[in-house]
Amino acid sequence: MQFIKIVLVGIGQIFLQENGLSGLIIFIAMFFSHWTLAVGCLLGSIIGTVIAIIRHYPENEIKQGLYGFNAALAFMCTMFTFGLNGTSPLIFFLGAMNSTVATLTMREFTKRNRIAYTFPFVLTCWIFCWGVAQIGLFGLSQTTPNLVDHTATLDSINQPFYAWAEVNFGSSLITGLLLFIAIVISSPIAAIWGMTATIISPFIAACLFKIEPNQLANGIYSFSAILIACAFAGNRLRDFMYVVIGIILAIFVQFTIAQTGLATYTIGFIISAWFVLWFKNKIERSKLSSKTFTHLFNPK
């Protein structure tokens, strides 16, 4: 029973939530996008947790689910890239390998006391998903994602739950709704900030770059914003500034990487979160008062 709880907590950590019930709902939610995503989500977290236990990683880190979420994302990414139009033992083997590599990479961060966020998953899948698809290794080719067909930016506001689904490669309104509920159960404030992020991020993206409305409506430029909101949500004015800065930077990074043809995954969230975390530490250590902090952004 303890093992199952840890596996589910690992899934919950995809949204930075140490909550097994949230993880269970996230797992169930993925069935409404594609059954292979749900299976990949669960198998990935199981593989990451088992590896951590076998290799005697710190027990407290294992219980926190730190070795489940990158592995789950890596397996889901494999299914999204190669398995939506059919599966084979080779695809599941590749998913297991990706989960393993992501877990080992995660450990390299934790033993150095570095915050990895979802970078182990991104690095692994750049090599073994995007890279494999580009060269057609083993005869594998990328499947065509079944994105929701919208034609106006306004749809990204009317149906913000698609952005939630995109965090886990999903494309279902029900998936997004359940993912939102999963976060509400664990952290209502993170859910509120995450929903706010889905509303403001399309406008920021549209103002900064000429992005196709369909991409905005499908949440392509909003899912990293959700993760930023989950990471830095709080009750203070400065928390709002951290989230806004993070969202702007995440959109800029994602757009820049996308121009190279490289799969973006959650790299926008990762780089912006690393920067905001550094910036936040500088602010917190300086012990600035709220009045002084506000003055930084309103010098007049």
Side-chain angles (χ1 to χ4, degrees):
M1 194 65 183
Q2 177 71 7
F3 176 78
I4 295 174
K5 179 181 177 181
I6 294 172
V7 168
L8 294 177
V9 169
I11 294 174
Q13 285 284 14
I14 293 174
F15 286 86
L16 306 168
Q17 304 302 310
E18 189 180 333
N19 189 300
L21 179 56
S22 296
L24 176 61
I25 296 174
I26 291 170
F27 163 62
I28 294 172
M30 300 321 299
F31 278 104
F32 292 93
S33 285
H34 202 282
W35 70 268
T36 60
L37 293 176
V39 171
C41 181
L42 182 62
L43 288 179
S45 188
I46 289 174
I47 290 171
T49 303
V50 168
I51 290 174
I53 293 174
I54 292 175
R55 295 179 65 87
H56 304 291
Y57 292 168
E59 185 177 351
N60 64 312
E61 295 178 356
I62 295 175
K63 289 182 178 180
Q64 291 171 7
L66 297 186
Y67 298 103
F69 70 99
N70 273 291
L73 284 167
F75 211 126
M76 281 193 289
C77 184
T78 306
M79 295 291 96
F80 176 79
T81 305
F82 304 115
L84 297 189
N85 294 338
T87 58
S88 70
L90 176 61
I91 296 174
F92 279 96
F93 173 78
L94 183 60
M97 184 186 72
N98 286 344
S99 294
T100 301
V101 173
T103 302
L104 296 176
T105 304
M106 180 65 175
R107 178 54 185 155
E108 293 303 310
F109 277 84
T110 58
K111 71 183 183 182
R112 292 173 174 79
N113 294 318
R114 303 293 184 184
I115 298 179
Y117 292 119
T118 54
F119 183 71
F121 135 68
V122 170
L123 179 61
T124 300
C125 290
W126 269 345
I127 299 171
F128 298 109
C129 285
W130 182 83
V132 168
Q134 292 299 303
I135 63 178
L137 190 63
F138 307 123
L140 293 173
S141 59
Q142 187 167 356
T143 56
T144 302
N146 181 27
L147 296 177
V148 184
D149 184 19
H150 296 312
T151 57
T153 305
L154 187 59
D155 288 330
S156 62
I157 303 172
N158 294 334
Q159 302 181 36
F161 295 112
Y162 286 110
W164 288 85
E166 281 288 348
V167 175
N168 280 5
F169 304 96
S171 58
S172 164
L173 182 63
I174 298 177
T175 294
L177 177 60
L178 288 175
L179 294 180
F180 173 70
I181 291 173
I183 309 310
V184 170
I185 291 173
S186 177
S187 174
I189 190 170
I192 292 172
W193 282 64
M195 185 59 71
T196 303
T198 67
I199 296 174
I200 66 175
S201 54
F203 285 106
I204 295 175
C207 291
L208 292 177
F209 308 105
K210 294 181 179 179
I211 299 173
E212 180 185 301
N214 186 51
Q215 288 186 307
L216 296 177
N218 278 300
I220 300 298
Y221 281 88
S222 296
F223 65 86
S224 282
I226 291 173
L227 294 175
I228 286 290
C230 288
F232 298 102
N235 298 313
R236 304 171 303 174
L237 171 62
R238 66 181 65 181
D239 295 323
F240 173 74
M241 297 306 303
Y242 296 147
V243 171
V244 172
I245 292 171
I247 290 175
I248 294 173
L249 183 56
I251 291 171
F252 177 80
V253 170
Q254 182 169 343
F255 180 82
T256 302
I257 296 296
Q259 303 315 298
T260 69
L262 185 65
T264 57
Y265 300 134
T266 56
I267 191 62
F269 156 65
I270 297 163
I271 293 178
S272 61
W274 280 341
F275 172 80
V276 172
L277 187 63
W278 170 83
F279 180 68
K280 179 180 179 180
N281 287 337
K282 290 290 185 181
I283 294 295
E284 302 293 337
R285 288 174 183 173
S286 66
K287 297 182 180 179
L288 293 176
S289 65
S290 298
K291 182 177 180 180
T292 304
F293 182 81
T294 304
H295 182 70
L296 289 176
F297 296 93
N298 300 277
K300 294 182 180 181

